[in-house]
Coordinates of all heavy atoms in Angstrom, one line a residue:
M22 N -1.3 -7.2 -44.2 CA -1.4 -8.6 -43.9 C -0.6 -9.0 -42.7 O 0.5 -8.4 -42.5 CB -0.9 -9.5 -45.0 CG -1.8 -9.8 -46.1 SD -1.0 -11.0 -47.2 CE -2.5 -11.7 -47.8
S23 N -1.1 -9.9 -41.8 CA -0.3 -10.2 -40.7 C 0.6 -11.3 -41.1 O 0.6 -11.9 -42.1 CB -1.4 -10.7 -39.6 OG -1.9 -12.0 -39.9
A24 N 1.6 -11.6 -40.1 CA 2.6 -12.5 -40.4 C 2.0 -14.0 -40.6 O 2.6 -14.8 -41.4 CB 3.7 -12.6 -39.2
E25 N 1.0 -14.3 -40.0 CA 0.3 -15.6 -40.1 C -0.1 -15.9 -41.5 O -0.3 -16.9 -41.9 CB -0.8 -15.8 -39.1 CG -0.3 -15.8 -37.6 CD -0.1 -14.4 -37.0 OE1 -0.7 -13.5 -37.5 OE2 0.7 -14.2 -36.0
Q26 N -0.6 -14.8 -42.2 CA -1.2 -15.0 -43.6 C -0.2 -15.0 -44.6 O -0.5 -15.3 -45.8 CB -2.2 -13.8 -43.7 CG -3.3 -13.9 -42.7 CD -4.2 -12.6 -42.9 OE1 -3.8 -11.6 -43.4 NE2 -5.4 -12.7 -42.3
L27 N 1.1 -14.6 -44.3 CA 2.2 -14.6 -45.4 C 2.8 -16.0 -45.4 O 3.0 -16.6 -44.4 CB 3.1 -13.4 -45.0 CG 2.6 -12.0 -45.1 CD1 3.6 -11.0 -44.6 CD2 2.2 -11.6 -46.6
P28 N 3.3 -16.3 -46.6 CA 4.1 -17.5 -46.7 C 5.4 -17.4 -45.9 O 6.2 -16.4 -46.1 CB 4.3 -17.7 -48.2 CG 3.6 -16.6 -48.9 CD 3.1 -15.7 -47.9
Q29 N 5.8 -18.4 -45.2 CA 7.0 -18.3 -44.4 C 8.3 -18.3 -45.3 O 8.3 -18.9 -46.3 CB 7.1 -19.6 -43.4 CG 6.1 -19.5 -42.4 CD 6.3 -20.7 -41.4 OE1 7.2 -21.5 -41.5 NE2 5.4 -20.7 -40.4
G30 N 9.3 -17.5 -44.8 CA 10.5 -17.4 -45.6 C 10.5 -16.2 -46.5 O 11.6 -16.0 -47.1
T31 N 9.4 -15.6 -46.8 CA 9.4 -14.5 -47.7 C 9.9 -13.2 -47.1 O 10.0 -13.1 -45.9 CB 8.0 -14.3 -48.3 OG1 7.2 -13.9 -47.3 CG2 7.5 -15.5 -49.0
A32 N 10.3 -12.2 -47.9 CA 10.9 -11.0 -47.4 C 9.7 -10.3 -46.6 O 10.0 -9.6 -45.6 CB 11.4 -10.2 -48.5
Q33 N 8.5 -10.4 -47.2 CA 7.4 -9.7 -46.5 C 7.1 -10.3 -45.1 O 6.8 -9.6 -44.1 CB 6.1 -9.7 -47.3 CG 6.2 -8.8 -48.5 CD 4.9 -9.1 -49.4 OE1 4.2 -10.1 -49.2 NE2 4.6 -8.1 -50.3
Y34 N 7.2 -11.7 -45.0 CA 7.0 -12.3 -43.7 C 8.1 -11.9 -42.7 O 7.7 -11.6 -41.5 CB 7.1 -13.9 -43.9 CG 6.9 -14.7 -42.7 CD1 5.6 -14.8 -42.1 CD2 8.1 -15.3 -42.2 CE1 5.5 -15.7 -41.1 CE2 7.8 -16.1 -41.0 CZ 6.6 -16.3 -40.5 OH 6.4 -17.0 -39.3
I35 N 9.3 -11.9 -43.2 CA 10.4 -11.5 -42.3 C 10.2 -10.1 -41.8 O 10.4 -9.7 -40.6 CB 11.7 -11.8 -42.9 CG1 12.0 -13.2 -43.1 CG2 12.8 -11.2 -42.1 CD1 13.2 -13.6 -43.8
Q36 N 9.9 -9.1 -42.7 CA 9.6 -7.8 -42.5 C 8.5 -7.7 -41.4 O 8.5 -6.8 -40.5 CB 9.4 -7.0 -43.7 CG 9.3 -5.4 -43.5 CD 10.6 -4.8 -43.0 OE1 11.7 -5.2 -43.4 NE2 10.5 -3.9 -42.1
S37 N 7.4 -8.4 -41.6 CA 6.3 -8.3 -40.8 C 6.7 -8.7 -39.4 O 6.3 -8.2 -38.3 CB 5.2 -9.2 -41.3 OG 4.1 -9.3 -40.4
L38 N 7.5 -9.8 -39.3 CA 8.0 -10.2 -37.9 C 8.9 -9.2 -37.3 O 8.9 -9.0 -36.1 CB 8.7 -11.6 -38.1 CG 7.8 -12.8 -38.5 CD1 8.8 -14.0 -38.6 CD2 6.8 -13.0 -37.3
E39 N 9.8 -8.6 -38.1 CA 10.7 -7.6 -37.5 C 9.8 -6.3 -37.0 O 10.1 -5.7 -36.0 CB 11.6 -7.1 -38.6 CG 12.8 -8.2 -38.9 CD 13.7 -7.7 -40.0 OE1 13.5 -6.6 -40.5 OE2 14.7 -8.4 -40.2
N40 N 8.8 -6.0 -37.8 CA 7.9 -4.9 -37.4 C 7.2 -5.3 -36.0 O 7.1 -4.5 -35.1 CB 6.9 -4.5 -38.4 CG 7.6 -3.8 -39.6 OD1 8.7 -3.3 -39.5 ND2 6.9 -3.9 -40.7
R41 N 6.8 -6.5 -35.9 CA 6.2 -7.0 -34.7 C 7.0 -6.9 -33.6 O 6.6 -6.5 -32.5 CB 5.6 -8.4 -35.0 CG 4.8 -8.9 -33.8 CD 4.2 -10.2 -34.2 NE 3.5 -10.8 -33.1 CZ 3.1 -12.0 -32.9 NH1 3.3 -13.0 -33.9 NH2 2.5 -12.5 -31.9
I42 N 8.3 -7.3 -33.8 CA 9.3 -7.3 -32.7 C 9.5 -5.9 -32.3 O 9.6 -5.6 -31.1 CB 10.6 -7.9 -33.1 CG1 10.4 -9.5 -33.4 CG2 11.8 -7.7 -32.2 CD1 11.6 -10.2 -33.9
L43 N 9.6 -5.0 -33.2 CA 9.8 -3.5 -32.8 C 8.7 -3.0 -32.0 O 8.9 -2.2 -31.1 CB 10.0 -2.7 -34.1 CG 11.3 -2.8 -34.9 CD1 11.3 -2.0 -36.1 CD2 12.5 -2.5 -34.0
R44 N 7.4 -3.4 -32.5 CA 6.2 -2.9 -31.7 C 6.2 -3.5 -30.2 O 5.9 -2.8 -29.3 CB 5.0 -3.3 -32.4 CG 4.6 -2.4 -33.6 CD 3.2 -2.6 -34.1 NE 2.8 -4.0 -34.3 CZ 3.1 -4.6 -35.5 NH1 3.6 -4.0 -36.5 NH2 2.7 -5.9 -35.6
L45 N 6.6 -4.8 -30.2 CA 6.7 -5.4 -28.8 C 7.7 -4.8 -27.9 O 7.6 -4.6 -26.8 CB 6.9 -6.9 -29.0 CG 5.8 -7.7 -29.5 CD1 6.3 -9.1 -29.8 CD2 4.6 -7.8 -28.6
E46 N 8.9 -4.4 -28.5 CA 9.9 -3.7 -27.7 C 9.4 -2.4 -27.4 O 9.8 -2.0 -26.1 CB 11.2 -3.7 -28.6 CG 11.9 -4.9 -28.7 CD 13.1 -4.9 -29.6 OE1 13.3 -3.9 -30.4 OE2 13.9 -5.9 -29.6
E47 N 8.9 -1.6 -28.2 CA 8.2 -0.4 -27.7 C 7.2 -0.5 -26.6 O 7.2 0.3 -25.6 CB 7.5 0.3 -29.0 CG 8.5 0.8 -30.0 CD 7.8 1.3 -31.3 OE1 6.6 1.2 -31.3 OE2 8.5 1.7 -32.2
N48 N 6.3 -1.5 -26.7 CA 5.4 -1.9 -25.6 C 6.0 -2.2 -24.4 O 5.6 -1.8 -23.3 CB 4.4 -2.9 -26.1 CG 3.4 -2.5 -27.1 OD1 3.2 -1.3 -27.3 ND2 2.8 -3.4 -27.8
L49 N 7.1 -3.0 -24.5 CA 7.8 -3.3 -23.3 C 8.5 -2.1 -22.6 O 8.5 -1.9 -21.5 CB 9.0 -4.3 -23.7 CG 9.9 -4.8 -22.5 CD1 9.1 -5.5 -21.5 CD2 11.0 -5.7 -23.0
A50 N 9.1 -1.2 -23.4 CA 9.7 0.0 -22.9 C 8.6 0.8 -22.2 O 8.8 1.4 -21.1 CB 10.4 0.8 -24.0
A51 N 7.5 1.0 -22.8 CA 6.4 1.8 -22.2 C 5.9 1.1 -20.9 O 5.7 1.9 -19.9 CB 5.2 1.9 -23.2
S52 N 5.8 -0.1 -20.9 CA 5.3 -0.9 -19.7 C 6.4 -0.7 -18.6 O 6.0 -0.6 -17.4 CB 5.1 -2.4 -20.0 OG 4.2 -2.6 -21.0
Q53 N 7.7 -0.8 -18.9 CA 8.7 -0.6 -17.9 C 8.7 0.8 -17.3 O 8.9 0.9 -16.1 CB 10.1 -1.0 -18.4 CG 10.2 -2.4 -18.7 CD 11.5 -2.8 -19.3 OE1 12.1 -1.9 -20.0 NE2 12.0 -4.0 -19.1
A54 N 8.5 1.8 -18.2 CA 8.3 3.2 -17.7 C 7.1 3.3 -16.8 O 7.2 4.0 -15.7 CB 8.3 4.1 -18.9
A55 N 6.0 2.7 -17.2 CA 4.8 2.8 -16.3 C 5.0 2.1 -14.9 O 4.6 2.6 -13.9 CB 3.6 2.2 -17.0
L56 N 5.7 1.0 -15.0 CA 6.0 0.2 -13.8 C 6.9 1.1 -12.9 O 6.7 1.0 -11.7 CB 6.7 -1.1 -14.1 CG 7.1 -2.0 -12.9 CD1 5.9 -2.4 -12.2 CD2 7.9 -3.2 -13.4
Q57 N 7.9 1.7 -13.4 CA 8.8 2.6 -12.6 C 8.0 3.7 -11.9 O 8.2 4.1 -10.8 CB 9.9 3.2 -13.5 CG 10.9 2.2 -13.9 CD 11.7 1.6 -12.6 OE1 11.8 2.2 -11.7 NE2 12.0 0.3 -12.9
T58 N 7.1 4.3 -12.7 CA 6.1 5.4 -12.1 C 5.3 4.8 -11.0 O 5.2 5.5 -10.0 CB 5.3 5.9 -13.3 OG1 6.1 6.4 -14.3 CG2 4.4 7.0 -12.8
V59 N 4.7 3.7 -11.2 CA 3.9 3.1 -10.2 C 4.7 2.6 -9.0 O 4.2 2.9 -7.8 CB 3.1 1.9 -10.7 CG1 2.5 1.1 -9.6 CG2 2.1 2.3 -11.8
A60 N 5.9 2.2 -9.2 CA 6.8 1.8 -8.0 C 7.1 3.1 -7.3 O 7.2 3.0 -6.0 CB 8.0 1.0 -8.6
S61 N 7.5 4.2 -7.9 CA 7.7 5.4 -7.2 C 6.5 5.9 -6.4 O 6.6 6.4 -5.3 CB 8.3 6.4 -8.1 OG 7.4 6.8 -9.0
Q62 N 5.4 5.8 -7.1 CA 4.1 6.2 -6.3 C 3.8 5.4 -5.0 O 3.5 5.9 -4.0 CB 3.0 6.2 -7.3 CG 3.0 7.3 -8.2 CD 1.9 7.1 -9.3 OE1 1.2 6.1 -9.3 NE2 1.7 8.1 -10.2
V63 N 4.1 4.1 -5.2 CA 3.9 3.1 -4.1 C 4.9 3.5 -2.9 O 4.5 3.5 -1.8 CB 4.1 1.6 -4.5 CG1 4.3 0.7 -3.4 CG2 3.0 1.2 -5.4
N64 N 6.2 3.7 -3.4 CA 7.1 4.2 -2.3 C 6.7 5.4 -1.6 O 6.9 5.6 -0.4 CB 8.5 4.3 -2.8 CG 9.0 2.9 -3.3 OD1 8.7 1.9 -2.7 ND2 10.0 2.9 -4.2
E65 N 6.2 6.3 -2.3 CA 5.7 7.6 -1.7 C 4.6 7.4 -0.7 O 4.5 8.0 0.3 CB 5.3 8.6 -2.8 CG 6.4 9.2 -3.6 CD 6.0 10.0 -4.7 OE1 4.7 10.3 -4.8 OE2 6.8 10.4 -5.6
I66 N 3.6 6.5 -1.1 CA 2.4 6.2 -0.2 C 3.0 5.4 1.0 O 2.5 5.8 2.0 CB 1.5 5.3 -1.0 CG1 0.8 6.2 -2.1 CG2 0.5 4.7 -0.1 CD1 -0.1 5.5 -3.1
R67 N 3.9 4.5 0.9 CA 4.5 3.8 2.0 C 5.2 4.7 3.0 O 5.0 4.5 4.2 CB 5.5 2.7 1.5 CG 4.8 1.5 1.0 CD 5.8 0.4 0.7 NE 5.1 -0.7 0.2 CZ 5.7 -1.7 -0.3 NH1 7.0 -1.7 -0.6 NH2 5.0 -2.7 -0.8
A68 N 5.7 5.8 2.4 CA 6.4 6.8 3.4 C 5.3 7.6 4.1 O 5.6 8.1 5.3 CB 7.2 7.8 2.5
L69 N 4.2 7.7 3.6 CA 3.1 8.5 4.3 C 2.4 7.6 5.3 O 1.8 8.1 6.3 CB 2.1 9.0 3.3 CG 2.5 9.9 2.3 CD1 1.5 10.3 1.3 CD2 3.0 11.2 3.0
I70 N 2.5 6.3 5.2 CA 1.7 5.4 6.1 C 2.6 5.3 7.5 O 3.8 5.1 7.4 CB 1.6 4.0 5.6 CG1 0.6 4.1 4.4 CG2 1.0 3.1 6.6 CD1 0.5 2.7 3.6
P71 N 2.0 5.6 8.6 CA 2.7 5.5 9.9 C 3.2 4.1 10.2 O 2.6 3.1 9.7 CB 1.7 5.8 10.9 CG 0.4 5.6 10.3 CD 0.5 5.8 8.8
N72 N 4.4 4.0 10.7 CA 5.0 2.7 11.1 C 4.3 2.2 12.3 O 4.8 2.4 13.4 CB 6.5 2.8 11.3 CG 7.2 1.6 11.4 OD1 6.6 0.6 11.2 ND2 8.4 1.6 11.8
S73 N 3.2 1.5 12.2 CA 2.4 1.2 13.3 C 2.1 -0.4 13.0 O 2.1 -0.9 11.9 CB 1.1 1.9 13.2 OG 0.2 1.4 14.3
G74 N 1.8 -1.0 14.2 CA 1.4 -2.4 14.1 C 0.0 -2.6 13.6 O -0.4 -3.8 13.2
I75 N -0.8 -1.6 13.3 CA -2.1 -1.8 12.9 C -2.1 -2.3 11.4 O -3.0 -3.0 11.0 CB -2.8 -0.4 12.9 CG1 -3.1 0.1 14.3 CG2 -4.2 -0.4 12.1 CD1 -3.7 1.4 14.5
V76 N -1.1 -2.0 10.7 CA -1.0 -2.5 9.3 C -0.1 -3.7 9.2 O 0.3 -4.0 8.0 CB -0.5 -1.4 8.3 CG1 -1.6 -0.2 8.2 CG2 0.8 -0.8 8.7
S77 N 0.2 -4.4 10.2 CA 1.1 -5.6 10.3 C 0.3 -6.8 9.6 O -0.9 -6.9 9.9 CB 1.6 -5.9 11.7 OG 2.2 -7.1 11.8
P78 N 1.0 -7.6 9.0 CA 0.4 -8.8 8.4 C 0.0 -9.9 9.5 O -0.8 -10.7 9.4 CB 1.4 -9.4 7.5 CG 2.7 -8.8 7.9 CD 2.3 -7.4 8.5
S79 N 0.6 -9.8 10.8 CA 0.4 -10.6 11.8 C -0.8 -10.2 12.6 O -1.1 -9.1 13.1 CB 1.6 -10.6 12.8 OG 1.4 -11.2 14.0
F80 N -1.8 -11.2 12.8 CA -3.0 -10.9 13.4 C -2.8 -10.6 15.0 O -3.4 -9.6 15.5 CB -3.9 -12.1 13.4 CG -5.1 -12.1 14.3 CD1 -6.2 -11.3 13.8 CD2 -5.2 -12.7 15.5 CE1 -7.4 -11.1 14.7 CE2 -6.3 -12.5 16.3 CZ -7.4 -11.8 15.8
L81 N -1.9 -11.3 15.6 CA -1.6 -11.0 17.0 C -1.0 -9.6 17.2 O -1.4 -8.9 18.1 CB -0.7 -12.0 17.6 CG -1.4 -13.4 18.0 CD1 -0.4 -14.4 18.5 CD2 -2.6 -13.2 18.9
R82 N -0.1 -9.2 16.4 CA 0.5 -7.9 16.5 C -0.6 -6.8 16.3 O -0.6 -5.8 17.0 CB 1.6 -7.7 15.5 CG 2.2 -6.4 15.6 CD 3.6 -6.3 15.0 NE 4.1 -5.0 15.1 CZ 5.2 -4.5 14.5 NH1 5.8 -5.2 13.6 NH2 5.6 -3.3 14.8
R83 N -1.5 -7.1 15.2 CA -2.5 -6.0 15.0 C -3.5 -6.0 16.2 O -3.9 -4.9 16.7 CB -3.4 -6.4 13.8 CG -2.7 -6.1 12.5 CD -3.7 -6.2 11.3 NE -4.6 -7.4 11.3 CZ -4.2 -8.5 10.7 NH1 -3.2 -8.7 10.1 NH2 -5.1 -9.5 10.8
A84 N -3.8 -7.2 16.8 CA -4.8 -7.2 18.0 C -4.2 -6.6 19.1 O -4.9 -5.8 19.8 CB -5.1 -8.7 18.3
F85 N -2.9 -6.8 19.4 CA -2.3 -6.1 20.6 C -2.0 -4.6 20.3 O -2.1 -3.7 21.3 CB -1.0 -6.8 21.0 CG -1.3 -8.1 21.9 CD1 -1.1 -9.3 21.3 CD2 -1.8 -7.9 23.1 CE1 -1.3 -10.5 22.1 CE2 -2.1 -9.0 23.9 CZ -1.8 -10.4 23.3
T86 N -1.8 -4.2 19.1 CA -1.7 -2.8 18.8 C -3.0 -2.0 19.0 O -3.0 -1.0 19.5 CB -1.2 -2.6 17.4 OG1 0.0 -3.3 17.3 CG2 -1.0 -1.2 17.0
I87 N -4.1 -2.7 18.6 CA -5.4 -2.1 18.7 C -5.8 -2.0 20.2 O -6.3 -0.9 20.7 CB -6.6 -2.9 18.0 CG1 -6.3 -2.8 16.5 CG2 -8.0 -2.4 18.3 CD1 -6.4 -1.5 15.9
W88 N -5.5 -3.1 20.9 CA -5.7 -3.0 22.4 C -4.9 -1.9 23.0 O -5.4 -1.2 23.9 CB -5.4 -4.4 23.0 CG -5.6 -4.4 24.5 CD1 -6.8 -4.5 25.1 CD2 -4.6 -4.2 25.4 NE1 -6.5 -4.4 26.5 CE2 -5.2 -4.2 26.7 CE3 -3.2 -4.0 25.4 CZ2 -4.5 -4.1 27.9 CZ3 -2.5 -3.8 26.6 CH2 -3.2 -3.9 27.8
G89 N -3.6 -1.8 22.7 CA -2.8 -0.8 23.3 C -3.3 0.6 22.9 O -3.3 1.5 23.9
H90 N -3.7 0.9 21.7 CA -4.3 2.2 21.4 C -5.6 2.4 22.2 O -5.8 3.6 22.8 CB -4.7 2.3 19.9 CG -3.5 2.5 19.0 ND1 -2.8 1.5 18.5 CD2 -2.9 3.6 18.6 CE1 -1.8 1.9 17.7 NE2 -1.9 3.2 17.8
Y91 N -6.4 1.4 22.4 CA -7.6 1.5 23.2 C -7.2 1.8 24.6 O -7.8 2.7 25.3 CB -8.4 0.3 23.1 CG -9.6 0.2 24.0 CD1 -10.8 0.9 23.7 CD2 -9.6 -0.5 25.2 CE1 -11.8 0.8 24.5 CE2 -10.7 -0.5 26.1 CZ -11.8 0.1 25.7 OH -12.9 0.1 26.5
F92 N -6.2 1.2 25.3 CA -5.8 1.4 26.6 C -5.3 2.8 26.8 O -5.6 3.5 27.8 CB -4.8 0.4 26.9 CG -4.2 0.5 28.3 CD1 -4.9 0.1 29.4 CD2 -3.0 1.1 28.5 CE1 -4.4 0.2 30.7 CE2 -2.5 1.3 29.8 CZ -3.2 0.9 30.9
V93 N -4.5 3.3 25.9 CA -4.0 4.6 26.0 C -5.0 5.7 25.9 O -5.1 6.7 26.6 CB -2.9 4.9 25.0 CG1 -2.4 6.4 24.8 CG2 -1.6 4.0 25.2
A94 N -6.0 5.5 24.9 CA -7.2 6.4 24.8 C -8.0 6.5 26.1 O -8.4 7.5 26.6 CB -8.0 6.0 23.7
Q95 N -8.3 5.3 26.7 CA -9.0 5.3 27.9 C -8.2 5.9 29.1 O -8.9 6.6 29.9 CB -9.3 3.8 28.3 CG -10.4 3.2 27.4 CD -11.7 3.9 27.3 OE1 -12.2 4.3 28.4 NE2 -12.2 4.1 26.2
L96 N -6.9 5.7 29.1 CA -6.1 6.4 30.1 C -6.1 7.9 30.0 O -6.4 8.6 31.0 CB -4.7 5.8 30.0 CG -3.7 6.1 31.2 CD1 -4.2 5.4 32.4 CD2 -2.3 5.6 30.8
L97 N -6.0 8.4 28.8 CA -6.1 9.8 28.5 C -7.5 10.4 28.9 O -7.6 11.6 29.3 CB -5.8 10.1 27.1 CG -4.3 9.9 26.7 CD1 -4.1 10.1 25.1 CD2 -3.4 10.8 27.5
I98 N -8.5 9.6 28.7 CA -9.8 10.1 29.1 C -10.0 10.0 30.6 O -10.7 10.9 31.2 CB -11.0 9.3 28.4 CG1 -10.9 9.5 26.9 CG2 -12.3 9.5 29.0 CD1 -11.8 8.6 26.0
A99 N -9.5 9.0 31.2 CA -9.8 8.7 32.7 C -9.0 9.7 33.6 O -9.4 9.9 34.7 CB -9.5 7.3 33.0
I100 N -7.8 10.0 33.2 CA -6.9 10.9 34.0 C -7.5 12.2 34.5 O -7.6 12.4 35.7 CB -5.5 11.0 33.5 CG1 -4.8 9.7 33.6 CG2 -4.7 12.1 34.2 CD1 -3.4 9.6 32.9
P101 N -8.0 12.9 33.6 CA -8.7 14.2 34.0 C -10.0 14.0 34.9 O -10.2 14.7 35.9 CB -9.1 14.9 32.7 CG -8.3 14.2 31.6 CD -8.0 12.9 32.1
I102 N -10.7 12.9 34.5 CA -11.9 12.6 35.3 C -11.4 12.2 36.7 O -12.0 12.6 37.8 CB -12.8 11.6 34.6 CG1 -13.3 12.1 33.4 CG2 -13.8 11.0 35.6 CD1 -14.0 11.1 32.5
Y103 N -10.4 11.4 36.9 CA -9.9 10.9 38.1 C -9.3 12.2 39.0 O -9.6 12.3 40.1 CB -8.8 9.9 37.9 CG -8.1 9.4 39.1 CD1 -8.8 8.5 40.0 CD2 -6.8 9.8 39.6 CE1 -8.3 8.1 41.2 CE2 -6.3 9.4 40.7 CZ -7.0 8.5 41.6 OH -6.4 8.0 42.6
C104 N -8.7 13.0 38.3 CA -8.2 14.2 39.0 C -9.3 15.1 39.5 O -9.2 15.6 40.7 CB -7.3 15.0 38.1 SG -5.7 14.2 37.7
I105 N -10.4 15.2 38.8 CA -11.5 16.1 39.2 C -12.2 15.4 40.4 O -12.5 16.1 41.4 CB -12.5 16.3 38.0 CG1 -11.8 17.2 37.0 CG2 -13.7 16.8 38.6 CD1 -12.6 17.3 35.7
A106 N -12.3 14.1 40.4 CA -13.0 13.3 41.4 C -12.1 13.4 42.7 O -12.7 13.6 43.8 CB -13.1 11.9 41.0
V107 N -10.8 13.3 42.5 CA -9.9 13.4 43.8 C -9.9 14.8 44.3 O -10.0 15.0 45.5 CB -8.5 13.0 43.4 CG1 -7.5 13.3 44.5 CG2 -8.4 11.5 43.1
A108 N -10.0 15.8 43.4 CA -10.1 17.2 43.9 C -11.4 17.5 44.7 O -11.4 18.1 45.7 CB -9.9 18.1 42.8
L109 N -12.4 16.9 44.2 CA -13.8 17.1 44.9 C -13.7 16.4 46.2 O -14.3 16.9 47.2 CB -14.9 16.6 44.0 CG -15.2 17.4 42.7 CD1 -16.2 16.8 41.8 CD2 -15.7 18.8 43.2
L110 N -13.2 15.2 46.2 CA -13.2 14.4 47.6 C -12.3 15.1 48.5 O -12.6 15.2 49.7 CB -12.7 13.0 47.3 CG -13.6 12.1 46.6 CD1 -13.0 10.8 46.2 CD2 -14.9 11.9 47.3
L111 N -11.1 15.7 48.1 CA -10.3 16.4 49.1 C -10.8 17.7 49.5 O -10.4 18.1 50.5 CB -8.9 16.6 48.4 CG -8.1 15.3 48.2 CD1 -6.8 15.6 47.4 CD2 -7.8 14.5 49.5
S112 N -11.7 18.3 48.7 CA -12.3 19.5 49.1 C -13.3 19.4 50.2 O -13.9 20.4 50.6 CB -12.8 20.3 47.9 OG -14.0 19.5 47.4
G113 N -13.6 18.2 50.5 CA -14.6 18.0 51.6 C -15.9 17.5 51.0 O -16.9 17.3 51.8
G114 N -16.1 17.5 49.8 CA -17.3 16.9 49.2 C -18.4 18.0 49.3 O -19.6 17.7 49.1
D115 N -18.1 19.2 49.5 CA -19.1 20.3 49.5 C -19.2 20.9 48.1 O -18.6 21.7 47.6 CB -18.6 21.5 50.4 CG -18.6 21.0 51.9 OD1 -19.3 20.1 52.3 OD2 -17.7 21.6 52.6
F116 N -20.2 20.3 47.4 CA -20.4 20.8 46.1 C -21.8 21.0 45.8 O -22.8 21.0 46.1 CB -19.8 19.9 45.0 CG -20.0 18.4 45.2 CD1 -21.1 17.7 44.5 CD2 -19.3 17.7 46.0 CE1 -21.3 16.4 44.7 CE2 -19.4 16.3 46.2 CZ -20.4 15.6 45.6

């Protein structure tokens, strides 16, 4: 029988409530242990994420970070092509 079905003030009612409290305390302890596990996993994941503006909550910071990555990528692509073009032009254009 549950505590709601027993007459209040009886020994069975009080025992039922005490058992319920014990179960709730056990559930609380299990929940706190699970929370600690999840919190440590979140911290491990955060350690793996690079410290970059791409994951910033600010829109402008994300936008300028993306633009900066794009600019650096284009620069890395353009420098070898530019060097080859300059070398061809300095060689007299005989190709």
Side-chain angles (χ1 to χ4, degrees):
M22 271 188 156
S23 67
E25 293 84 23
Q26 297 171 345
L27 295 172
Q29 291 185 2
T31 63
Q33 289 177 340
Y34 178 77
I35 294 172
Q36 185 64 38
S37 175
L38 290 178
E39 288 177 356
N40 290 337
R41 185 174 175 194
I42 290 172
L43 289 175
R44 285 193 309 273
L45 288 172
E46 288 176 346
E47 290 170 359
N48 288 341
L49 178 62
S52 296
Q53 287 175 338
L56 179 63
Q57 290 296 330
T58 303
V59 169
S61 66
Q62 290 173 348
V63 166
N64 289 335
E65 290 172 8
I66 291 171
R67 281 187 179 162
L69 296 174
I70 295 175
N72 189 11
S73 174
I75 292 177
V76 293
S77 172
S79 168
F80 172 77
L81 283 177
R82 183 165 181 192
R83 284 193 316 267
F85 281 109
T86 302
I87 297 295
W88 177 81
H90 283 90
Y91 174 77
F92 178 77
V93 170
Q95 291 299 316
L96 193 63
L97 291 174
I98 293 170
I100 287 175
I102 294 172
Y103 178 74
C104 290
I105 292 170
V107 168
L109 288 174
L110 288 175
L111 291 178
S112 68
D115 296 332
F116 42 98

